[in-house]
Structures are given as structure tokens and as C-alpha cells.
């Protein structure tokens, strides 16, 4: 964790260190301890660079965006399932933090994550941008590369949620960032009325819509108005998600995503989030421990 801080601090805006310092003082936690916890998500990718993958840190997940003629009402719907393992100690402490920053250019946003980690894994802002991520291991078949020094990925995503609401601006910000790691990012905006699936890595950023995703076969059919990655390593070897989406094309809505898509695909064991972008509604659940139940098998809270 200290090594990660040394490698990334020059690329990290000072506002993150100010927030970490403020929380540590308010909670009477030593600053260095809270700083290390805040870099918990990033540290895995330092190890992944040398192909030492710690799966409980890394997690997995699924990202699904549907819009236009693929949805029941033509509005965008975005599902984000986070599979981090229900025995992961961090998953005991979920939190939704709503930020109303006074910093110039800031947009109010809700960060859906875990206590002690101030970066973003899932978020939605007041101007109609939602995002989520799924790890893309450097040891996967694509052979993507990571970088030791750069801006931590969860701080990068948080800045997207805090400062952008247009798809072009979000993608531009990602492209201009000194990136450290490899992952899939899903972004949906009301501005564009579409969703983009993004392959994000240290060396390259690729943006995909419904018709140009690189895998197009029986396991991952291309579907008009839908972009998705399932919970498996990509390219996918599981036809569950694709077949469900294809069968329900034109009828997809938030209820279908959280009642059928996620439970049947068994994705979102720690965090199940569905954003109904047209209504600016969010449906969410976190896993429980007594009894141990995956988020995708629970009744979701609607806000």
C-alpha cells in the first residue's frame, strides 16, 4: 500500500488527500492508515502487473446498458453487478455517499461503495451520468498491460462522476488520464441517450457501442441497443447474459434487469445496482451476512 502511494501520489489531485485527511481527523484514525485503506482497490493492480492476482481484492462483475428500441420505453437502463465475494471483509461495510462539492465545475453525485474507500466503483450524478466498472485482468487472454505509476483508477472514475455529464467529455477525460490498470468501464448518459462499454488500460482506451464490440458469436451476440460484458473473463464463455438480453430485446426495463437478468446470471453477489436513467431512479441491494445472501437474490431498495 505504501508503494502504491509512492507510485501514484504525483498523479492524484490534492483534493483526495485533503478528504482523506479530514475523514481521518474526524474519525480519529491515523492519516497513513486511512490513506492505505483508500488505496486498497488500486494496490491489486500493482501486484497484477507481475501476475500475482488476488481475486478477493479484484472481484468481477457484469455491466449492461440498454437504450432506444431495446428498452420498453426508449430510455436508458444500466445494470451494474459487482461480484467481490461475500466472504470479503470489505463487503460488510457498504455505504452510499452523496457529495455536494463546492469545487468549481462539480456536479452533485452519489457514490455507491464501501466505508473507507473514497474513490468510485459505481456512481450516478445529478445531470444524468452513471458509471460502473469490472476488472479486466492483465493475465487475461487479451494480454493487456498495466502501469505502476499513474492516477488510481477509482479516483479517475470519481472525477468522471463529479465533473462530467456528457459522454464525449467523459471519454475525453479517460483518454487524457495517465492510467494505471486494465478494466471494463460502463458509462450511460442522458445527454447522449446511449451507453458506451469501454476497455480501459494503461496503453489503450477502446470505446464500444452496440454494434462494434469485438466479440460477436453465440456466446456474445451483438444486440441492437445493448452493450454488455458478463461476469466471466472476456471473451465470454457463458451464453446466459446474451441469450436473456436477445430474447427480451425491446422489453428491457429496470424490473427485468434486477428480477430476471441478474439472478439468472448470478451476478452482483456484493452489489446489485440498476439505474433507470429516464426517471433518474436507482434500485440497489448489498449482500447480507446473517443469513449469507447475495445481493442479486434480495429485494432491491428504490430511490
Amino acid at each position: 500500500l505504501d508503494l502504491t502511494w509512492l507510485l501514484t501520489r504525483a498523479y492524484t489531485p490534492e483534493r483526495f488527500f485533503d478528504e482523506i485527511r479530514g475523514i481521518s481527523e474526524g474519525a480519529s484514525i491515523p492519516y497513513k492508515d486511512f490513506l492505505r485503506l483508500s488505496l486498497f482497490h488500486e494496490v491489486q493492480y500493482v501486484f497484477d502487473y507481475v501476475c500475482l492476482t488476488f481475486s478477493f481484492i479484484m472481484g468481477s462483475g457484469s455491466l449492461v446498458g440498454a437504450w432506444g428500441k431495446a428498452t420498453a420505453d426508449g430510455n436508458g437502463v444500466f445494470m451494474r453487478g459487482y461480484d467481490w465475494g461475500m466472504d470479503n471483509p470489505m463487503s460488510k461495510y457498504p455505504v452510499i455517499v452523496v457529495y455536494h462539492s463546492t469545487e468549481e465545475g462539480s456536479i452533485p453525485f452519489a457514490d455507491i461503495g464501501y466505508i473507507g474507500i473514497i474513490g468510485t466503483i459505481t456512481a450516478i450524478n445529478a445531470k444524468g451520468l452513471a458509471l460502473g466498472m469490472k476488472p479486466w485482468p492483465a493475465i487475461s487472454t487479451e494480454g493487456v498491460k498495466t502501469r505502476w505509476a499513474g492516477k488510481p483508477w477509482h479516483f479517475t472514475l470519481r472525477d468522471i462522476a463529479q465533473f462530467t455529464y456528457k459522454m464525449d467529455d467523459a471519454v475525453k477525460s479517460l483518454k487524457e488520464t495517465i492510467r494505471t490498470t486494465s478494466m471494463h468501464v460502463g458509462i450511460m448518459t442522458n445527454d447522449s441517450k446511449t451507453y458506451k462499454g469501454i476497455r480501459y488500460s494503461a496503453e489503450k482506451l477502446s470505446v464500444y457501442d452496440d454494434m462494434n464490440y469485438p466479440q460477436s458469436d453465440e456466446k456474445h451476440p451483438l444486440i441492437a441497443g445493448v452493450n454488455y460484458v458478463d461476469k466471466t473473463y472476456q471473451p465470454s464463455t457463458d451464453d446466459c447474459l446474451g441469450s436473456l438480453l436477445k430474447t427480451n430485446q425491446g422489453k428491457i426495463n429496470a424490473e427485468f434487469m434486477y428480477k430476471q437478468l441478474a439472478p439468472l446470471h448470478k451476478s452482483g453477489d456484493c452489489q446489485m445496482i440498476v439505474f433507470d436513467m429516464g426517471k433518474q431512479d436507482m434500485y440497489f441491494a448489498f449482500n447480507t451476512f446473517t443469513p449469507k445472501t447475495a445481493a442479486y437474490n434480495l429485494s432491491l431498495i428504490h430511490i
Side-chain angles (χ1 to χ4, degrees):
L1 289 165
D2 288 344
L3 175 61
T4 301
W5 173 69
L6 288 170
L7 293 169
T8 61
R9 62 180 178 176
Y11 303 90
T12 302
E14 190 63 29
R15 78 177 88 89
F16 289 105
F17 297 123
D18 291 341
E19 183 173 346
I20 292 167
R21 188 173 294 106
I23 295 173
S24 68
E25 291 175 0
S28 298
I29 298 171
Y31 171 73
K32 267 297 185 69
D33 289 349
F34 195 76
L35 176 64
R36 291 169 181 141
L37 180 60
S38 296
L39 291 170
F40 180 76
H41 274 311
E42 177 71 15
V43 71
Q44 182 273 328
Y45 296 97
V46 175
F47 287 105
D48 194 36
Y49 187 85
V50 291
C51 294
L52 298 173
T53 300
F54 295 94
S55 60
F56 92 95
I57 300 176
M58 183 177 203
S60 183
S62 55
L63 299 167
V64 181
W67 66 94
K69 293 182 179 179
T71 64
D73 63 2
N75 289 315
V77 188
F78 177 16
M79 186 189 88
R80 186 271 193 279
Y82 193 40
D83 299 295
W84 206 11
M86 289 186 287
D87 292 322
N88 185 336
M90 289 300 297
S91 67
K92 292 182 179 180
Y93 308 105
V95 66
I96 298 177
V97 179
V98 179
Y99 286 86
H100 288 268
S101 175
T102 58
E103 185 172 355
E104 185 178 356
S106 291
I107 302 165
F109 70 100
D111 184 89
I112 302 104
Y114 298 90
I115 292 173
I117 299 176
I118 65 169
T120 290
I121 60 172
T122 314
I124 185 169
N125 73 25
K127 288 193 174 182
L129 176 144
L131 61 81
M133 53 72 62
K134 164 191 163 67
W136 182 21
I139 60 171
S140 66
T141 57
E142 293 91 340
V144 294
K145 301 296 183 182
T146 59
R147 177 186 289 118
W148 288 74
K151 185 176 179 180
W153 63 264
H154 53 310
F155 294 164
T156 298
L157 295 188
R158 178 167 144 180
D159 278 352
I160 298 296
Q162 183 172 344
F163 295 106
T164 70
Y165 67 96
K166 295 182 178 180
M167 183 67 75
D168 289 346
D169 291 341
V171 172
K172 181 174 182 285
S173 180
L174 290 175
K175 287 181 176 179
E176 293 176 349
T177 296
I178 305 300
R179 302 180 298 275
T180 58
T181 189
S182 55
M183 63 182 177
H184 300 270
V185 178
I187 299 176
M188 179 168 273
T189 67
N190 283 341
D191 167 74
S192 66
K193 300 187 184 303
T194 59
Y195 170 94
K196 300 295 184 185
I198 298 166
R199 287 186 172 184
Y200 169 120
S201 70
E203 295 181 347
K204 186 178 180 181
L205 193 87
S206 301
V207 183
Y208 300 107
D209 55 29
D210 51 348
M211 291 290 108
N212 69 343
Y213 191 73
Q215 183 181 1
S216 175
D217 54 30
E218 62 180 10
K219 300 295 185 183
H220 190 111
L222 297 183
I223 304 167
V226 182
N227 179 284
Y228 62 101
V229 288
D230 65 24
K231 65 180 182 179
T232 67
Y233 280 3
Q234 304 299 300
S236 177
T237 57
D238 186 338
D239 62 1
C240 176
L241 205 60
S243 63
L244 287 168
L245 289 165
K246 189 172 183 178
T247 300
N248 288 276
Q249 184 185 25
K251 300 177 288 183
I252 297 170
N253 58 17
E255 185 176 8
F256 161 74
M257 285 188 166
Y258 65 74
K259 282 190 174 181
Q260 298 183 53
L261 195 62
L264 289 172
H265 187 50
K266 300 186 185 302
S267 181
D269 60 7
C270 287
Q271 186 183 106
M272 167 47 49
I273 312 288
V274 177
F275 299 112
D276 187 328
M277 301 299 291
K279 300 175 182 176
Q280 280 290 84
D281 285 354
M282 179 173 76
Y283 301 82
F284 70 94
F286 300 102
N287 64 290
T288 61
F289 286 83
T290 311
K292 187 181 292 185
T293 308
Y296 58 74
N297 280 328
L298 295 171
S299 296
L300 274 67
I301 298 169
H302 174 207
I303 58 176

